[in-house]
Amino acid sequence: MKNSFNVSSAPSPVGHYPHAKRVGGLLFLSGVGPRKGGSNVIPGVKLSGSGAILDYDIEAQCVSVFENIKHILESAGSSWNNIVDVTVFLTNIDADFNKYNETYKRYFSDPFPTRTTVEVGALPTPIAIELKVIATLN
């Protein structure tokens, strides 16, 4: 049985880790950001020539993160409805939490998974959001 998963349709890891790892009946996803699979394109982000963030659209990034998570879950034998816990990392919680929360509610329904949202000073690529997810297997 394969225990670690890397998914070609999801963004390449920026370090030495798999997209997901199966342990018993659970699937643990590494942090997932909004970059498009197979590229370094970040939806909703405008970068300067030096790579600094000039502007970003948190809703576009949320949608992209959620789609990336769906790809990983499905490729690893789970699904969106099997998510039981979500940890959210935002780089600007004051500016982005409300829009993030609205977008989240369009993707998740009752009963909602447990969730923790924290602000971080930076993420490893020029993104404003990253999610870490735990799901049950199908």
Side-chain angles (χ1 to χ4, degrees):
M1 179 189 294
K2 186 174 180 184
N3 290 323
S4 293
F5 300 87
N6 280 311
V7 179
S8 61
S9 59
S12 298
V14 295
H16 304 288
Y17 56 86
H19 284 123
K21 184 167 286 267
R22 180 184 302 166
V23 179
L26 295 175
L27 186 67
F28 296 83
L29 273 63
S30 296
V32 178
R35 284 182 300 119
K36 290 293 184 188
S39 76
N40 287 322
V41 173
I42 305 168
V45 175
K46 294 179 186 167
L47 299 174
S48 70
S50 65
I53 299 172
L54 296 174
D55 193 23
Y56 68 92
D57 177 343
I58 191 64
E59 184 175 3
Q61 287 194 44
C62 289
V63 168
S64 187
V65 169
F66 297 159
E67 293 302 318
N68 287 338
I69 288 170
K70 282 183 181 181
H71 292 301
I72 295 168
L73 290 170
E74 291 168 4
S75 294
S78 188
S79 66
W80 187 260
N81 291 332
N82 288 16
I83 296 174
V84 295
D85 186 64
V86 178
T87 303
V88 183
F89 304 96
L90 295 172
T91 59
N92 189 340
I93 204 163
D94 290 337
D96 298 336
F97 182 81
N98 288 337
K99 182 57 77 175
Y100 158 73
N101 206 38
E102 290 171 18
T103 309
Y104 184 94
K105 191 170 180 188
R106 289 197 318 259
Y107 277 78
F108 290 93
S109 58
D110 200 19
F112 294 99
T114 58
R115 183 178 88 182
T116 302
T117 305
V118 296
E119 183 177 53
V120 295
L123 291 162
T125 59
I127 58 176
I129 184 170
E130 181 174 289
L131 267 65
K132 181 164 181 38
V133 170
I134 301 171
T136 57
L137 293 161
N138 287 336

